[in-house]
Amino acid sequence: KGLSIMEMRKTPNKSKALRDGSTVDTVVVHYTGSMSTEGTLSWFGNGDAKVSAHYVISRSGRVFQFENWRTVLWHAGKSEWNGRSSLNRTSIGIELVGTYHSGFELKQMAALWVVLRDIYKELPIKYVLGHEQVSPGRKADPGPNFDWTYIRTQAESDRARRAIRHTATRQARPSSSNS
């Protein structure tokens, strides 16, 4: 099933410079710290917030997109991974509506996987990380209730399906021998 963006939004909380796809290799997963989708969408649209993300996924799995991946949005803040700092420049931010203790709904996780799969098709993503991994000691999201196993399982399953389709396609081609 393809990605269904429920609504495109704009945010003033972004850098002016655009980037190309070769520089974006990381996705940072966050929780909003709130159980309110509307509150999050409103806050990201407020210039006083100084924060935003490329996607917000509601508890029911509805997906909202702020800007496109070429736009550097302000989600990672002071961050570092693999010797690089200021990850806003090289990452896509995805916010899941929820808190440290709330956990996440299966519909949210399924929508997150669809968003990730679509991002993988466009960009050379190497890392899918939690904000807690790129800002240790400063951030705790997506927290202990985030199901990393679900994301890994979906990725492995998706790779297997692609390999099977690729193998089946190769076997279906007619032989070029003259026997």
Side-chain angles (χ1 to χ4, degrees):
K1 187 175 175 180
L3 180 60
S4 174
I5 301 295
M6 300 304 291
E7 188 174 331
M8 291 290 295
R9 299 275 182 123
K10 294 288 184 188
T11 180
N13 304 311
K14 61 186 175 184
S15 299
K16 292 186 185 341
L18 296 178
R19 58 193 176 181
D20 67 34
S22 67
T23 62
V24 181
D25 68 356
T26 304
V27 172
V28 180
V29 180
H30 307 261
Y31 60 62
T32 61
S34 162
M35 297 299 279
S36 170
T37 301
E38 287 306 316
T40 299
L41 298 174
S42 177
W43 184 239
F44 285 0
N46 181 334
D48 292 334
K50 306 288 187 233
V51 67
S52 57
H54 293 87
Y55 298 93
V56 173
I57 302 176
S58 75
R59 304 287 293 170
S60 66
R62 291 178 60 200
V63 178
F64 300 85
Q65 184 175 358
F66 282 85
E67 309 291 336
N68 64 47
W69 62 262
R70 291 188 179 281
T71 306
V72 177
L73 297 184
W74 303 338
H75 62 93
K78 185 178 178 187
S79 53
E80 184 178 342
W81 181 257
N82 213 20
R84 285 183 306 175
S85 59
S86 303
L87 291 182
N88 285 336
R89 294 185 310 233
T90 58
S91 66
I92 303 271
I94 302 175
E95 294 269 355
L96 300 174
V97 174
T99 67
Y100 184 82
H101 296 290
S102 70
F104 304 98
E105 301 294 331
L106 183 56
K107 289 179 181 180
Q108 275 181 297
M109 296 301 290
L112 172 61
W113 173 246
V114 173
V115 170
L116 287 171
R117 192 180 62 209
D118 285 356
I119 292 170
Y120 289 152
K121 290 176 186 174
E122 283 196 54
L123 299 168
I125 300 299
K126 294 179 189 172
Y127 310 106
V128 177
L129 305 167
H131 201 185
E132 63 198 349
Q133 293 168 291
V134 301
S135 299
R138 191 174 77 79
K139 294 294 180 176
D141 53 316
N145 294 315
F146 182 79
D147 191 352
W148 288 106
T149 301
Y150 175 85
I151 296 302
R152 277 193 296 279
T153 301
Q154 292 299 314
E156 290 165 6
S157 176
D158 193 56
R159 270 187 253 149
R161 279 192 297 271
R162 281 192 310 243
I164 290 167
R165 265 196 312 269
H166 180 68
T167 302
T169 302
R170 283 195 319 207
Q171 291 173 350
R173 290 185 182 142
S175 171
S176 59
S177 67
N178 290 343
S179 34

